[in-house]
């Protein structure tokens, strides 16, 4: 049989003595232009492929 434990009697889930992940440093750069161009070209190529496939099947 278990009894309820009054608040404040249980230890914390994790220690609170850590200092965190370090000082906040804002991002200075975002995505470069190269990866964005590659992703856009791949998306365009996929869309073109499915469009040609649909035309080939006469949908």
């Amino acid at each position: 049989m278990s009894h309820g434990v009054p608040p404040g009697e249980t230890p914390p889930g994790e220690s609170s003595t850590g200092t965190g992940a370090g000082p906040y440093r804002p991002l200075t750069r975002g995505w470069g232009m190269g990866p964005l161009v590659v992703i856009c070209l791949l998306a365009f190529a996929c869309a073109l492929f499915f469009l040609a496939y649909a035309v080939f099947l006469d949908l």
Side-chain angles (χ1 to χ4, degrees):
M1 176 180 342
S2 65
H3 298 282
V5 178
E9 290 294 320
T10 56
E14 56 190 45
S15 73
S16 59
T17 59
T19 60
Y24 172 74
R25 286 185 232 136
L27 297 175
T28 57
R29 295 178 60 178
W31 277 66
M33 198 58 159
L36 289 178
V37 169
V38 169
I39 290 171
C40 288
L41 286 175
L42 284 174
F44 182 73
C46 288
L48 192 62
F49 169 77
F50 285 114
L51 179 66
Y53 191 68
V55 169
F56 178 72
L57 290 179
D58 289 327
L59 294 179

